[in-house]
Amino acid sequence: MSSPGQLAYEADRLVVNGDWTLPNYARLKKEVFAALASQKSGGQSPDLTAIEALDTAGASLLADLLGAKRLVELTDEESGLPTERRDLLRLVGEALSSPNEELPRRGSAVVAFLAQVGRQVADYWAQQRLLMGFTGQILATLGAILPTPWRWRMTSLVAHIHQTGLNALPIVALLTFLVGAVVAFLGATVLDQFGATIYTVNLVAFSFLREFGVLLAAILLAGRTASAFTAQLGSMKANEEIDALRTFGLSPIELLVIPRVLAMVISLPILTFVGMISGIIGGSVVCLTVLDISIPQIINILENDVGPIHFLVGLGKAPVFAFVIAVIGCLEGFKASGSAESVGEHTTSAVVQSIFMVILLDSIAAIFFMEMGW
């Protein structure tokens, strides 16, 4: 029959015996406190061989009595304890000896927020450095193959122009037409208060020639084509097709990236022109049907009041936006790992980064052209 656990002293040596289990926890805790108060727990190595039963509650009391590190040391010595009891004491001693290392320290919410912002800024800067390096590699490869026409991938180029340009024409034309109508409605609502609804034509023409035509087309291609580039290249990397190209001594930049970048640079100005025309037509339809502005009046305003500089400003931004969108889409495709989850994450990242860069560059261009007076 088991006996309740207790502490005894034989020749100034601490002897632990009995059952050190949860039912005896309250009484044993008092004995441990008394031993700690009388400072009789130190000295020679305690004798643990007389323990008849032990669980984690009793082991935690022994850790309080002897110290967690000392309890771990005792399990390493020839203590004569059974293997399972020695493992239990070691487990409890190690858990109690380093609680601060396992539990993370809770800091200030402000510090955590600033740390998160810092990490995001560092990640963004690393991404921009990688983007600049990838852009340099593309330009170097492009400069190397331009003087050698037999290395041009015309079939791939035409196929990508068809995919990125021709297939996107309907959605670009429809979207810009509807946005043009909305801009005309809003402009007419405001200008009607001043009796100047005739200037709705100027508003629609200026907005689509300078901003909306190229911006809407670029955002559509960022969501439609940049994601397609990332998914295609990411899938090829997952299937080890890109590694196979390198094995054959072929350049993935030359074969896969250059045709996509050139196709985007050719397609986006065309889509921008279509977007400008569709947006102006959409606004003109509203002016014609709602504001009773005749077609000759609309044509006269476009001829006399809207200069070609606005068309050139909008069209000039298209190749830059196209190059940035294509580079980001291809880079994210190369960064994807072999899993489908990674391909999906980098596809999303390509769309977000492309739209962000397009709006950022458009803002910088707007400030520049305003300062130049164009």
Side-chain angles (χ1 to χ4, degrees):
M1 184 176 179
S2 61
S3 60
Q6 60 180 354
L7 298 175
Y9 300 93
E10 297 179 0
D12 293 334
R13 187 181 186 188
L14 179 63
V15 178
V16 182
N17 54 36
D19 290 352
W20 285 69
T21 55
L22 184 59
N24 302 322
Y25 183 83
R27 183 182 57 79
L28 288 172
K29 189 173 184 180
K30 295 179 181 178
E31 289 197 24
V32 169
F33 283 162
L36 290 174
S38 61
Q39 298 182 353
K40 292 183 179 182
S41 59
Q44 302 177 2
S45 297
D47 183 6
L48 306 179
T49 57
I51 296 178
E52 299 178 6
L54 180 68
D55 60 9
T56 53
S60 65
L61 287 176
L62 290 176
D64 293 337
L65 176 66
L66 304 174
K69 293 183 179 180
R70 179 57 178 153
L71 189 63
V72 175
E73 295 172 359
L74 289 174
T75 60
D76 296 333
E77 300 173 357
E78 294 293 335
S79 57
L81 292 173
T83 303
E84 64 275 5
R85 197 162 294 172
R86 211 166 42 235
D87 293 341
L88 176 60
L89 291 174
R90 181 185 297 112
L91 181 64
V92 174
E94 290 175 351
L96 295 177
S97 61
S98 56
N100 294 331
E101 297 177 4
E102 298 182 2
L103 296 177
R105 183 179 174 184
R106 294 189 62 183
S108 169
V110 176
V111 174
F113 172 75
L114 294 177
Q116 179 66 23
V117 172
R119 283 191 292 268
Q120 292 179 352
V121 171
D123 292 342
Y124 177 76
W125 173 241
Q127 169 66 24
Q128 296 309 306
R129 291 181 58 186
L130 187 62
L131 181 62
M132 288 187 287
F134 190 67
T135 302
Q137 190 175 4
I138 291 174
L139 294 176
T141 305
L142 189 60
I145 67 174
L146 281 179
T148 55
W150 59 88
R151 296 173 61 183
W152 297 355
R153 308 284 171 176
M154 296 304 300
T155 303
S156 178
L157 177 62
V158 173
H160 286 299
I161 291 176
H162 180 274
Q163 175 191 356
T164 61
L166 184 61
N167 291 346
L169 271 176
I171 184 63
V172 171
L174 177 61
L175 181 66
T176 51
F177 179 87
L178 296 177
V179 173
V182 171
V183 171
F185 273 119
L186 293 176
T189 302
V190 175
L191 295 174
D192 184 57
Q193 302 176 8
F194 306 95
T197 53
I198 188 66
Y199 290 106
T200 304
V201 179
N202 303 66
L203 174 64
V204 173
F206 288 151
S207 60
F208 273 87
L209 290 177
R210 296 185 67 95
E211 296 294 338
F212 285 164
V214 62
L215 198 59
L216 291 174
I219 290 175
L220 277 174
L221 284 192
R224 182 182 181 276
T225 307
S227 59
F229 288 172
T230 303
Q232 291 166 2
L233 297 178
S235 299
M236 293 180 68
K237 188 174 181 182
N239 295 330
E240 299 182 352
E241 297 176 37
I242 295 178
D243 295 333
L245 290 176
R246 293 193 177 100
T247 302
F248 286 116
L250 302 175
S251 171
I253 301 295
E254 180 179 341
L255 266 68
L256 303 176
V257 177
I258 296 298
R260 287 174 166 82
V261 172
L262 293 180
M264 282 285 287
V265 172
I266 295 172
S267 299
L268 187 55
I270 299 174
L271 293 176
T272 299
F273 177 76
V274 172
M276 292 175 179
I277 300 301
S278 298
I280 293 175
I281 291 175
S284 300
V285 169
V286 173
C287 294
L288 184 64
T289 57
V290 178
L291 305 180
D292 294 328
I293 302 175
S294 63
I295 294 179
Q297 286 179 296
I298 295 174
I299 295 176
N300 183 60
I301 292 173
L302 294 177
E303 287 181 352
N304 298 327
D305 297 343
V306 182
I309 185 64
H310 306 296
F311 171 76
L312 296 176
V313 165
L315 200 64
K317 293 185 286 188
V320 179
F321 292 171
F323 183 82
V324 171
I325 293 170
V327 170
I328 291 176
C330 295
L331 175 60
E332 291 299 316
F334 280 113
K335 286 168 61 179
S337 62
S339 65
E341 181 182 2
S342 176
V343 174
E345 290 176 354
H346 285 285
T347 301
T348 303
S349 177
V351 174
V352 173
Q353 289 187 54
S354 300
I355 294 176
F356 173 78
M357 290 300 297
V358 164
I359 296 176
L360 177 64
L361 292 175
D362 187 68
S363 303
I364 296 173
I367 296 173
F368 173 77
F369 291 139
M370 183 182 66
E371 293 295 330
M372 295 298 294
W374 294 347

